[in-house]
Amino acid sequence: MSLSLGELINQSLDKIKKAITKKQFELKQSIDEAQQLKEYFDANHLITVYQQCIQSKQVKLIELALFDIKNLVEQGFFAGEQLIGEKRVIEVILDIVISCQQEKEETVQIHMIKAIQAIMTNRRHHIYGELITKVFSMLINLHAVSKIVAIVNASKEACQKIVSTYFQRLEDYGILTEEEFQQAIQKQGNQGQLVLGKCRAMINAEQYMRSLMTSLIDEVQIYTERKQVYDRQIEDLNQMKVINLDLHEPNLRNVTVEKNQIQVNVTNEQNIKNGKFGWCVVCRNSASQYCKETKVPICSKECKFIHLNQMNNFSQCYQHSSNSDQYCKDALEILEMLCQLSQRDNTNPQLSQMIIKCKILSLELIYEALAQSDTILQNKPKLIQILKEQLLESLLKNSLSTEKQLLILTLNIFIQLIWKVRSHLKKELEALIENVYFKFLDSSNSSFDHKQYTLKVFNKIMTKPRVVIEIFVNYDCSLGQNNLLKKILDMQCRIVQGRFSKQEFQASITQNQETYLKSLCLDNYYGYIKCLKEFCEQNEDQQNVIQVQQLEDQEETAIQSQQLSQDPIEKQKQMKLEMNKAVQKFNFKPEHCIKHLLACQFMETRDPKLFAQFLWENRDLNKDKLGELFGCSSEFNQQVFQQYIDFMNFKDLQIDEGLRYMLEFFTLPGESQQIDRIMEKFASKYCIDNPGIYQSAQAAYTLSYLLMMLQTDLHNEKNLDKMTIPQFVNLAKGINDGENLPQDLLLGFYQRIQKTPLALHAKEQAKRALEQANQVDQRKRHAMLAKEAEESLKKWFKEHPNQDAYFYANSIEHVKSLLQQTWSAIFASISVFLEQTEDQQQILLCFETIQSFIQLMGRFDLDEEKDTFISFLQRYCTGIPNTYRQILGVQALIKAAIQSGQYLRKSWKVALQLVSRLETLHQVVKKIKVDSPQKENYNQEDIQNIERLFQSISYDQIDKIFNMSINLDSNSILEFIRALCELSKEEIKQNRTFLLSRMIEVADFNMDRIKIIWSRMWEIMREHFLEVGCHKNVDLAIYAIDQLKQLSCKFLQQPELANYHFQKEFLMPFEQIFSHSQAQSQYKIQLREYLLSCMCMITNVCFNSLKSGWKIIMSIVNQALQEDQQQLIRLCVQITDKIMEDVNNQQVNQEIYMELIQALIKLTKNKDINIVENAIKQLKTLVDHIALIKRNDNKFLDSLWIPVLSSLSILYSDERVAVQQLSVQTLFDLLQKHGVYQSNEFWKMILRGVIRPLFDEIQFSKLQYTKQQQSKKSITSTCKMTFLLFTDLVISQIQQMQPCLNDLIDIYIQLILQTQDHISILCLQSLRKIIQNVGQSLTEDNWNLLIEQIQHLLSQCSPTELFEAFNLDEDFQKPLDELLKEEIRPKKFSFKINAQECSSKQQIQEKCLEILEVQVTQFQNQITQQNKQLILQLFQEQYQKCKRFNTNIYMRYFLEQWAVQWNFVKRSSQEFDDLENNNTTQSKQLSFINVEFLAAKVIVQLSNDPLAFIEQLIQRFLDAYNGFSQPLHRQDSLNGNLEQLRHLESQIVISRLQLLFMETVFPQLKQNLKSKVVSKWLIQLLKAGLNVSGVENKEYNKVLVNLLEEIINCENNVF
C-alpha cells in the first residue's frame, strides 16, 4: 500500500535522524527544519537533507538518501520543474545522486543506479542535454569496470530501461513534419494511427475521451431502459394496490453495488448484450466488473490496466507533446553516443575485456532502441543519418570480430534495420549482405558461427513477408540492382547441395556442422514459403489474386495488361525479368543476348552504349564470354568495350591496381591480339582518369603490357627461372616515352604482383583458396576474412555511388513474380536434401515445404513450376511405400490434393493415379477381392508395408479428395473431371470401375454449381460415359449405364429454367450409347433393353421435372422402335403410355410433340394389333391436344398435320381390317374436327399429301391380299367407308375446301382412270354426292373443269370394243326377227372380251352421266349455255351408242357367251362371279339400258326440240312392246334363248320407259297437246299397252289417260 507524501517524508526523516551521529549538527538542524514545516505540497524541501546525507560519506546515510530519493521520484512527490538557481529540481537531484559514483560500497552503487534509473525513467520530469550523456557514460563505465555481478546487472538494466523509456517517449510524443508524415503514409499506409500534427499519445488520448463519452452514453441508455421497467412495475403495483419495499428507483450511474438492481437486455453497436455493469470501456465486451479507481465498467484485469494507462497518458500527453523536438534530440544523442561506444578500438590489450563489455552493452542498447522504435524514428532524417554513418560502420567492425556475442548482437541489430528502416538504407543493407554476410557463407575463412548465425539472420528476413516482397521488388526487380533475394536463396541452395563438403572447408566445418547448416537452410526455406502462404491467405480478401481463366475476355485482358504496364514497379519487374533472360542467353552466346534485348525493346538498334550498360549492370555474366567479346576485332564489340570501360573509375589508383580492378569484371582472352586491344583501351581510359602520371597513353599501354608479362612470368608454375627485380627494372627503362619511371614505383609494382596476381582464372582461384584454407590457422583466416570483406565493401561502394529510389510494396501481386524467380533454387535444395537426410523431422519439413509451394504456385497459376513439385512427389508414390520417406511422400501428395486441389489443374492426374493405387492397396489390406485382372502378388512384407501406410493415412482422406471437389473453382473442377475421366479410361482397360464410381459421386456433389459450369463438366464426363457405355464388355457398359441412371434421377429432380437444355445435354450419353454400342449382336439387345428400362425408370421417377430431357428419351424411343424387337417395343410403349397419361396436364415439354408423334406413328406399324390400336387412339388424343394449345401457331401445326395424317392414310395398306378402319376413321375424325380452323393451303396440302396417297393405298390394297371371299368383302366395306367419310368431310368443310375443288376433281378423275373398277364407281358416287350437296358452292371454273373431266372420262372409259362389235360378224348387222326365221347355230369363241373391264367401263359411263344429270337437274341455272350444249351433245352420243348396242340382242348374246368363256380360261370364272356379287343384277349382261334412258331423260330436258327426240322414244317404246311377245321357239335352242332374252329385256325397257315418260316426256307432251303428233303418239302408246300384259303400270296408265282426256277436251273446246 503506497504512503502519502507526509507519511513518506516523516518516515524518511525519522530513519535518517536515527542514523546520524552527534557531530552532524547541520544535518540534524536541516532535518528539524524540515519536520517543523507544516504546509508543503512536494518534497523539494528535503533536497538539502539528502544532499548533506550524501556529502556525509556515511554509507548508511547515503543508502537511506538514495533509497528515499528513488521512492519520492517514483511517487512523483518532487516538483521537478521548479528552479534552484539555474537548474531544475530534477536535475539537481540527479547531480546529487551522481555524486555518489566515487563511493566504493556495493550497496551504495546499486542504490545510486536504481535512483538514477527512477529519475531518468520517470514520466513527469524529463532529463535532457548533457546529463543524458553523463548518465550513460557513468552507467556503461560501471558495467564495464565493475566485477560485481549485482552492479553489472543493475547498470545494464538501468541502461536498458532508460533507452526504452527515451525511445518509447519519442514514439509516444514525437510529431512528424508534413514531409515526414507523407513518407510514413507511403511506407505503411494510414490505418488511423497517424494524424498530421499530432503525436501518438494525443491520438490515443482522443480515443480515450471517445471511449469515456461512449461509456456515458451507455449509462444513459441502460438507465433509460431500467427506468421504463421501473415505471411499468410501479404502475402494475399501483393497480394491484401493493407496496414492494425491495423495489428502488434506478441510479443514473450504472456502476453501483446496489442489491436488487433491475436487469435489462440491451445490445451495443457491435450487437453485444450488456453485462452487469454494461460494456467494457476498452473493448466493448460485456462488463461484469468495474474499476474501483475510476468507476468505469471493465471486463478483465488486462482491460483495467489498459484503461489506467490510457488515463495516465491522457493527463500528460499535451504537456509532453510540446517537447517533441527535445525528445528527438535526446534520442539522437543517445543513439550517436551508443554507436560511438560500439566502435571503440581495442588499442590497449589490458583493456580489451572492458572494451568488449562496453561494446556488447552499447550494441544491446542499440538493439533495444531499435526494438522500441516505430514510426517516428523510422522517418526522422537525422536519426536515419546516424544509422547510416555510424551504426553501419559499427556493425561492419563488430560482425568481423572474433567475439561470438558481438557477432550475434550485430546480426540482431541488422535484422532490426532490415525490418524497420530498410527503405532508408537500401544501398547500405545490400552492401552488408553482398559483401559481408555472403562472405561469411561463401568464404572458407569464416567460422562455423559466422555461417550459422548468418543463416539465422536470413531466417528472420525470409519469415517476414513484407520484407521479402520489398527486397524482391527493390533488388530483384530493379534494373541495375543485383538479384539479392535470389542470391540469398541460391547461396543456401549451394550449401544444401554440398558447398561445405568441398576440401577447402574441411578445416573449418565438420560433417555434423555441415548437416546442421543444411537443416538451417531447410528451416529458412520452410519459413520463407510459410510466411508467403500466410501472407497471401491474410490478404486475399483485400487483393485480387492473379488467376488464369480460360473464359477471360480478351478486351478485359488487354485493359489489365495496360494497367500493369503503367505501374512503374511492374515495368521494372518485367524489364528485370527480361534482363535475367538476356543474361542467360549471353552466357550461352552473346549474339543471342543482343537479339533478345532488341526483341524486348531494351535497345531499338544495336546501340553499343546501351549494350555496354547492360553488361556493366549485370554481374552474373560469364567472365570468359565477356573477355571474348571485348577482345573481338569487330567494330561493334570494340565500341561496346569502349563504353563499358568508361563506366570504370581508375582515379587515384596505381596502374597495376587499375588493371586488377578491371580484370575483376572479365577474364582476359588467350590470344595476344585480343589482349592487345583490351590493354590499348585500358591505357587510354586510365590516362583520362589520371592525367599527368604518364607522358602518354602509349606509355601506359606499354607499361600495362609489361605488367601482364610480369604476372605471367612470376605465377607460371612451369617457369622455373622467374624474372628478378633488376630484370623488371631494366625492361621498364625509357617506358615513359623515353623517360624512366621511379624505382620505388617499379618496386611496388613488382612486389604487389609477386604477392597477388593481377587476375586469376576461377579454377586457379579455387585452388589457391584451398591451399590457404589448409595452411592458415583460424586467427589468420579471420583476419583474411575481415580484409576480404573490407575490400569487397570498398569496391562495392565505388561501383554504387548513388542511392536508388525505394519502392514500398505490400501487395500479393508481387508474390507471383517472386516465386517464379526463386522456386528453382528451393526445389533443387529440397530434392537433394531429401535424398541425403535420414532425419524424420527434416524429411517431414521438406514435404511440408513442398505442400506449401504447391499451394502457392497453384494460387498464382504457376502451373509449370507447380507440376514440377508434384512430379517430384510422384517419385515417392510409386510401388508399395516401404520407407518413412515414401510414406510421407504419399501423405504430402494426398494433403496437397486436399488443401491445394483448387490449384492442381492438370496435375490432378498424378493425384488421382495415387488415389487409384491406394484403393487397390486398401483392398489388399482389407482382403477384398482386387477388381483388376492384372493381380499383383503381395508377400507378407508388402502386406505389412501397406498396413503401415494406412496407419499413417486415413482412408477417409481419399473420400475427402472427392468430397472437397465441391469447393473447386470453375477451372479446377474441369481439370479434376478431365483427369478423373482420363484415368478411369485406363482403369476400364483393366476392368476396374473405382474411379468411374467416384465420378458419379463427384458429379452428385457438384450438381448445384451454376449450370454453365455444370454443362462443361458434364461435357467431359459425357464423353467418358459414352465410351464406357459403348464398351465391348457388356457388363462394364451396363454398370456405366446404371451409374448414369442413378445420377440422372438426382440431376433431373432439379428444375430446369425455360429455354435451357441442360437435361438434354445430361441425357445425351444414353442416346449415343444406344446408337453406337460396340457390343456383340447377341448382347446388344440386352444392353439396349436395359437402357430402355432406365429410360422407363427416369420417366416414372422424374416425370414432373423433365423438360428438355424428353428430347433424348423420345429420340431413344424412336431408335428402339426401328428395331424389330418386341421386348424393346413394349418398353417404348410404357414410356409413351406414361407420357400420354399426363398429356392433357401439359407437363410434357411441347418441343417433343413431334418426336412423340413419330414414336406413335412407328407403333402403328407394329405386329401386335393391340399396340397399333392403342397408338392410333393416342395419336388422335395427342393431335387433339396439340391443336388446342397450338391453335395460333400455324407454322408448328403445318409441320404436324402431314406426318400424322399421312401415317394414318398409309395404314390403309395394313392387312388387318380393324387397323385399316380405325386409321381411316381417325384420319377423317381429325380432319372433321380441326379442318374448320385450317387455311386453303392446308387443304391443298391435305389433298395432295394425304388423300391422294390414301386413294393410292386403296387402289393397291386389292392387289396384295388373297382372293378369299371374306377378305374381298372386308376390303370393299372398308373402301366404301373411306369414300363415305371423305365425302362427308368435303361436304362439311366445303367453305375451307372450295378453292381446292379443282384439285379434288383432278384426284378423282386420275383415280378413276387408273382403276376403272369398283373403286372408280365409288369415286364417281362420292363425286355425285358431293355435287348434289355442295353444287351451289361451285364456281363456273369448277363446272367447266367438271364437265371437261367427265367428257374425258367418257372417252377414256368407253367400252369401244363392244360398240364396234357389229363388224365382227355379218349376222350382227341383221335384225333379230330376220335371224330367227332360221335356226341359229352356236358361233365359235373368236373374240376376247374382258367382262369385268367392260362392266366397269359400263358403270363408269353410267356414273359419269349421272353426275351430269345432277348438274342438269339441280344446278341448271349455274351452267352456261355452252356447257349445256356440250352436255346435250354428250348425252346424245351416248344415247345413240347405247341404243344401238342394247337393241342388237343377237350380237349381245354371243358377246356375253364369249366373255364368259374367255374370263374362265384367263382368270377363272370366280372373279366374274365376284363382280356379279359386287354390282347390280345387270352386271352379268353386256347392257347399257341405264345409260340409254338416263341419256334420254337429259336429252328431253336440254333439247331445243324435244318432240323430235320424243318421237324416237315412242318408237323405242313400241319396239319394246312388240318384243314382249311370247317366244315361239324351244327354250333349249338358241332361237328360244334369244327370244327369251328379248322378252325379258323388252319388259325392262318398257318399265324404264314408263318411268321416263312419267318424269320427263309426259310433261313435255302436256305442253304440246295441241300438236296432232302428240295425240297420235299417245294413242299409239295406249294401243301398244293394251295389247300386252304383265307390264302394267297404274301410274303410267293414269297419266297417259289424263293426257288423252286433256287432248279430247281441248278438241271439244275447239269444236
Side-chain angles (χ1 to χ4, degrees), residues 1155-1414:
E1155 287 80 0
L1156 182 56
I1157 286 171
Q1158 290 174 11
L1160 293 175
I1161 289 172
K1162 290 173 182 175
L1163 286 173
T1164 60
K1165 301 174 184 177
N1166 195 257
K1167 298 175 182 179
D1168 189 337
I1169 191 169
N1170 295 324
I1171 293 176
V1172 175
E1173 290 177 347
N1174 185 54
I1176 294 174
K1177 292 175 183 177
Q1178 289 179 344
L1179 198 58
K1180 181 178 182 300
T1181 303
L1182 179 61
V1183 172
D1184 288 341
H1185 173 71
I1186 294 173
L1188 179 64
I1189 65 173
K1190 294 280 189 178
R1191 181 170 297 174
N1192 298 323
D1193 191 350
N1194 293 328
K1195 186 176 180 181
F1196 182 85
L1197 290 175
D1198 290 345
S1199 64
L1200 164 74
W1201 288 115
I1202 290 297
V1204 174
L1205 300 178
S1206 297
S1207 65
L1208 290 172
S1209 68
I1210 292 171
L1211 281 177
Y1212 196 90
S1213 61
D1214 196 290
E1215 63 184 14
R1216 293 162 293 189
V1217 176
V1219 174
Q1220 292 179 6
Q1221 293 180 350
L1222 182 59
S1223 64
V1224 170
Q1225 185 68 50
T1226 304
L1227 169 65
F1228 288 107
D1229 285 351
L1230 290 173
L1231 289 173
Q1232 282 281 18
K1233 186 173 182 179
H1234 305 292
V1236 67
Y1237 305 110
Q1238 307 305 322
S1239 64
N1240 296 331
E1241 290 297 325
F1242 168 81
W1243 283 107
K1244 287 183 180 180
M1245 181 173 62
I1246 294 299
L1247 286 174
R1248 294 169 185 170
V1250 178
I1251 302 301
R1252 179 57 187 269
L1254 174 64
F1255 289 158
D1256 291 341
E1257 293 296 336
I1258 293 173
Q1259 176 186 351
F1260 296 123
S1261 62
K1262 63 185 180 64
L1263 304 175
Q1264 298 175 5
Y1265 309 127
T1266 59
K1267 297 181 176 62
Q1268 296 177 4
Q1269 190 73 15
Q1270 184 180 358
S1271 176
K1272 291 188 178 182
K1273 288 182 179 179
S1274 301
I1275 294 170
T1276 303
S1277 63
T1278 305
C1279 185
K1280 286 182 179 180
M1281 184 189 74
T1282 302
F1283 278 100
L1284 180 61
L1285 291 171
F1286 178 67
T1287 303
D1288 293 341
L1289 173 68
V1290 175
I1291 293 170
S1292 64
Q1293 304 292 337
I1294 188 60
Q1295 294 299 326
Q1296 287 73 31
M1297 293 184 66
Q1298 198 282 330
C1300 308
L1301 286 178
N1302 286 349
D1303 293 335
L1304 174 62
I1305 294 170
D1306 285 337
I1307 291 172
Y1308 268 150
I1309 298 302
Q1310 292 298 322
L1311 180 61
I1312 295 167
L1313 291 173
Q1314 290 173 3
T1315 57
Q1316 297 187 15
D1317 56 8
H1318 71 281
I1319 296 175
S1320 302
I1321 305 304
L1322 292 174
C1323 284
L1324 290 169
Q1325 288 175 348
S1326 172
L1327 183 59
R1328 181 175 179 272
K1329 186 175 181 181
I1330 292 171
I1331 298 300
Q1332 283 179 327
N1333 287 275
V1334 301
Q1336 68 276 7
S1337 300
L1338 268 64
T1339 64
E1340 182 179 348
D1341 183 54
N1342 299 141
W1343 288 116
N1344 292 337
L1345 177 65
L1346 178 62
I1347 295 170
E1348 180 183 347
Q1349 294 293 345
I1350 293 295
Q1351 182 181 11
H1352 180 66
L1353 273 178
L1354 290 172
S1355 62
Q1356 293 295 320
C1357 300
S1358 175
T1360 308
E1361 63 272 25
L1362 297 179
F1363 291 142
E1364 295 178 353
F1366 294 98
N1367 299 322
L1368 296 176
D1369 193 292
E1370 59 182 9
D1371 291 340
F1372 289 172
Q1373 298 180 6
K1374 297 177 181 180
L1376 180 62
D1377 291 337
E1378 181 181 346
L1379 294 172
L1380 289 173
K1381 292 177 180 180
E1382 297 179 3
E1383 183 180 358
I1384 300 174
R1385 296 175 179 242
K1387 294 182 181 290
K1388 294 182 179 181
F1389 174 54
S1390 62
F1391 183 59
K1392 299 176 182 179
I1393 298 176
N1394 188 332
Q1396 184 179 359
E1397 182 180 342
C1398 291
S1399 178
S1400 296
K1401 289 181 178 181
Q1402 175 188 344
Q1403 292 183 57
I1404 291 171
Q1405 292 268 318
E1406 181 181 345
K1407 297 304 177 183
C1408 288
L1409 293 177
E1410 286 178 356
I1411 294 172
L1412 292 177
E1413 186 264 341
V1414 170

Side-chain angles (χ1 to χ4, degrees), residues 13 16-36 48-50 52-53 56 61:
L13 293 176
I16 293 173
K17 206 173 198 180
K18 292 178 182 179
I20 62 176
T21 61
K22 295 180 180 181
K23 295 181 179 179
Q24 296 171 325
F25 299 107
E26 293 181 5
L27 178 56
K28 184 178 180 181
Q29 184 178 0
S30 298
I31 292 173
D32 292 339
E33 291 175 357
Q35 286 180 333
Q36 291 174 3
T48 305
V49 175
Y50 294 143
Q52 290 176 356
C53 288
S56 68
L61 291 176

Side-chain angles (χ1 to χ4, degrees), residues 929-943:
K929 182 180 178 181
V930 180
D931 59 356
S932 172
Q934 301 175 356
K935 297 181 180 178
E936 302 179 25
N937 295 321
Y938 300 98
N939 54 36
Q940 189 61 35
E941 184 181 355
D942 293 337
I943 300 293

